[in-house]
Amino acid sequence: MNVDRAAVIGASRRWLGTPYRHQASVIGVGADCLGLVRGVWREVIGAEPERAPGYTPDWTDVLGEETLLDAARRHMREIPPGEAREGDVLLFRMALGAPAKHAGIVSGEDRIIHAYWGRSVCETRLVPWWRRRIAAAFQFPGVA
């Protein structure tokens, strides 16, 4: 299967404006950062490879495990963060030494599409604040 980067970006941009809703993954209705990645996966790849377990907003703080990072490693190809291009997925640590718990999709040079608390799915600049928090980068399966 070949997945075009432009298809990933197009699918991601269709989510813009979707309200933030914890654990949701329904375009136009609600999504969190994982729900956005899951929704783009469904559109460009097909069925999700595993069901996302229920999680609370503070799940990484409570468990202290790399649940999101481990799941990404099971289903996507990890690449050096400096090599991430349009259509690749970035995972972020919200605090130094904390597990990765935020995801976004690279949408252009220094731009990401993501959903986060109190906002909708939006496209923002990958400013130094976000860059310092990058934990890992991944490609969707079959990305050409």
Side-chain angles (χ1 to χ4, degrees):
M1 166 192 350
N2 286 330
V3 175
D4 182 67
R5 290 178 180 278
V8 174
I9 299 305
S12 301
R13 286 197 169 123
R14 281 189 277 287
W15 286 77
L16 293 174
T18 296
Y20 181 91
R21 296 285 183 268
H22 176 68
Q23 288 191 309
S25 184
V26 181
I27 195 167
V29 176
D32 61 10
C33 65
L34 178 58
L36 168 65
V37 173
R38 290 173 50 221
V40 170
W41 179 293
R42 289 189 306 267
E43 182 171 336
V44 300
I45 308 286
E48 294 178 55
E50 69 180 76
R51 184 181 170 151
Y55 51 94
T56 61
D58 65 347
W59 59 278
T60 59
D61 307 325
V62 173
L63 298 176
E65 298 173 0
E66 289 286 6
T67 308
L68 183 59
L69 187 58
D70 291 344
R73 286 179 172 149
R74 283 194 298 276
H75 304 293
M76 295 190 259
R77 186 169 80 84
E78 191 165 5
I79 58 173
E83 294 179 16
R85 297 175 32 210
E86 289 184 358
D88 292 335
V89 176
L90 297 177
L91 299 186
F92 300 89
R93 297 183 194 287
M94 300 311 285
L96 186 63
K101 74 180 234 178
H102 185 68
I105 298 171
V106 179
S107 59
E109 188 173 332
D110 293 324
R111 301 199 61 80
I112 57 172
I113 296 173
H114 58 145
Y116 58 100
W117 191 262
R119 305 251 174 126
S120 62
V121 174
C122 56
E123 187 169 12
T124 60
R125 290 186 53 236
L126 188 58
V127 295
W129 190 92
W130 283 111
R131 283 199 178 279
R132 286 191 304 271
R133 288 162 174 78
I134 296 173
F138 296 87
Q139 288 181 340
F140 283 100
V143 166

